[in-house]
Amino acid sequence: MHARHERILHLVAEGYVQTAKPVASASVARELDVSSATVRNAFAALEEAGLLQQPHTSAGRIPTSAGFGVYARDLLPPAPIPAELADALRRRFSQRHGDDLLDAVARAVAELSGYAVVVTVPADDRLHALEIHLTSLHARGLLAVVVLENGLVRQVRVDLDPGPDDDVLNDAERQLRQLTLPVAAVPAALAALARGADPELARTLDAIRAAWPAVTPPRHATAGLGAVLTEPEAQDPAFVRLIVERVERPPADEPAAHHGADPAAGDDGLDLSWDEALAMVRTGWRAGAAHGRLTLIGPARLRYRPALQVVAGVRGVLRADTV
């Protein structure tokens, strides 16, 4: 791309981000100290390339999704977050694990960026269960509380009518504690244990085996949707429906999320994409044994510079040994 055209694209993107209004050729001409005719010619070339569009006749220009893509990727890699902010985030995340860590990360990124955030942990049946506790709920069932090695705690309802007495429950819990296996291997081990157990213990172990698949569903935490709904785009009901859908029903994680990385991301670990009126910034994250995907969601008119900086900065803090 011609250097002047690139500079004009940046000015249009930055102006539109700041004002939510189309950017006129005259304002760009003043910034560059060139004629409006020169800018209008550049606008025409950028429109032809699919990078700018004119919302309505006699209006200025705004970037297309492709135009925002060129602009945003020119900002990569983002500047590091200030050292004092990184230290504050480390303190904020310190000693948090499992669901508590997901919630803390989602809230921090939402507060710092002003956008909606979804933090996910994919289903992973390769994890080990560190602790398993059984509690009788009532005469027809019990609750299995499973602590996974990534710190997540799962509560699984086990339907069993009639429920086991305390002796059987304690015996079943002792049997479960001996299973130092990945979650995926536990059902077969429970079946083997049940075959050699007395009838009441076997019935309890079989019921736990039937409920076991609920131990490793995907988990996600969200924050910041209210902030996005204060943006000018939220006056459009279609935009509101779209962003609520993306936040409440995030797409399933790709296999790469198991490794805390994103195959579509560059060396900076950030992946940018656009979905109709939305912009999304994704990155893989890892903190100890926990790993997954962090997604920031906002209007296409995203404040890209600080948003990219926050996502990359939080990702770096999470990957540090201190978290």
Side-chain angles (χ1 to χ4, degrees), residues 6 23 38 69 71 88 98 101-102 113 141 154 168 179 190 192-193 199 215 246 256 258 265 303:
E6 183 175 16
V23 177
T38 298
Y71 166 69
L101 177 61
L102 296 191
S113 68
R154 303 299 196 196
V168 172
L179 300 180
L190 288 173
L193 289 173
V215 169
R246 293 294 178 270
H258 291 291
R303 294 180 291 276

Side-chain angles (χ1 to χ4, degrees), residues 114 116 223-231:
L225 180 58
V228 179
L229 296 182
T230 65
E231 296 283 342

Side-chain angles (χ1 to χ4, degrees), residues 9-23 52 61-64 67-69 71-72 75 113 115 231-233 274 279 298-307:
L9 175 61
H10 276 239
L11 288 172
V12 172
E14 290 165 1
Y16 184 52
V17 166
Q18 292 171 5
T19 66
K21 296 178 180 179
V23 177
L52 291 184
R61 304 303 191 272
I62 65 174
T64 62
F68 272 129
Y71 166 69
L75 303 179
S113 68
Y115 294 117
E231 296 283 342
E233 288 82 355
W274 288 262
R301 189 188 54 82
L302 197 73
R303 294 180 291 276
Y304 288 93
R305 198 179 301 273

Side-chain angles (χ1 to χ4, degrees), residues 40 73 79 101 124 154 238 306 318:
R40 286 194 295 271
R73 291 186 178 96
L101 177 61
D124 189 349
R154 303 299 196 196
L318 288 171

Side-chain angles (χ1 to χ4, degrees), residues 9-77:
L9 175 61
H10 276 239
L11 288 172
V12 172
E14 290 165 1
Y16 184 52
V17 166
Q18 292 171 5
T19 66
K21 296 178 180 179
V23 177
S25 59
S27 65
V28 175
R30 284 194 299 272
E31 181 71 23
L32 297 179
D33 194 22
V34 297
S35 69
S36 292
T38 298
V39 175
R40 286 194 295 271
N41 289 336
F43 278 2
L46 290 167
E47 284 185 81
E48 186 175 353
L51 302 178
L52 291 184
Q53 60 184 321
Q54 188 173 25
H56 48 82
T57 305
S58 300
R61 304 303 191 272
I62 65 174
T64 62
S65 293
F68 272 129
V70 172
Y71 166 69
R73 291 186 178 96
D74 282 346
L75 303 179
L76 297 176

Side-chain angles (χ1 to χ4, degrees), residues 205-219:
L205 294 174
D206 281 336
I208 295 170
R209 177 175 57 83
W212 192 257
V215 169
T216 56
R219 167 75 172 88

Side-chain angles (χ1 to χ4, degrees), residues 149-168:
E149 65 176 304
N150 63 357
L152 291 179
V153 178
R154 303 299 196 196
Q155 296 187 1
V156 180
R157 178 189 173 91
V158 179
D159 292 325
L160 192 59
D161 186 12
D165 61 30
D166 288 344
D167 288 340
V168 172

